[in-house]
Amino acid sequence: MSEEFEVFWDLYNYKVKRKGAESAFNRLSKKDKAALMDHLPERMKTKQFQNYTPHPTTFINGRYWEDEDWNAEDRPKQSSQRGPTANDLLTNFNW
């Protein structure tokens, strides 16, 4: 067990599949571990992360800390107008 992983595990709020998460974490370079740990405290505070927290292994393997557009609260609200539904598209499709 690495001390670095223990810090990550203590901070991460979804404690599942520890063995896989630890293996993925230990494969990261020191630079990537530092970037992940610098990013994680702020990410954990967001509404987006509180509403959906990926498995820790998914977070590590997906390199979520590198996402540029990760803070949903900072995005402008999208228009409520939506495009056609799948049913609309299927109804109008020439079979």
Side-chain angles (χ1 to χ4, degrees):
M1 275 185 254
S2 76
E3 195 172 313
E4 293 169 315
F5 177 76
E6 290 303 318
V7 173
F8 167 80
W9 192 254
D10 287 343
L11 185 59
Y12 207 82
N13 67 348
Y14 190 27
K15 306 216 184 300
V16 295
K17 304 194 182 222
R18 180 188 173 110
K19 187 175 180 178
E22 187 169 9
S23 177
F25 185 88
N26 289 332
R27 285 192 302 268
L28 295 174
S29 69
K30 286 184 179 187
K31 182 179 175 182
D32 287 338
K33 288 176 186 174
L36 182 157
M37 294 308 292
D38 285 346
H39 168 86
L40 192 58
E42 285 302 311
R43 183 74 172 251
M44 296 295 290
K45 294 176 190 174
T46 65
K47 288 181 188 174
Q48 178 188 25
F49 211 73
Q50 291 169 6
N51 290 335
Y52 167 73
T53 305
H55 282 211
T57 308
T58 301
F59 183 84
I60 296 166
N61 287 335
R63 303 180 68 88
Y64 280 40
W65 65 94
E66 295 178 338
D67 291 351
E68 292 181 20
D69 190 22
W70 59 269
N71 195 344
E73 294 99 277
D74 291 340
R75 283 190 235 152
K77 300 286 184 209
Q78 292 183 346
S79 168
S80 61
Q81 291 183 328
R82 301 190 101 164
T85 66
N87 193 40
D88 293 336
L89 294 173
L90 290 172
T91 303
N92 296 325
F93 187 76
N94 290 328
W95 296 93

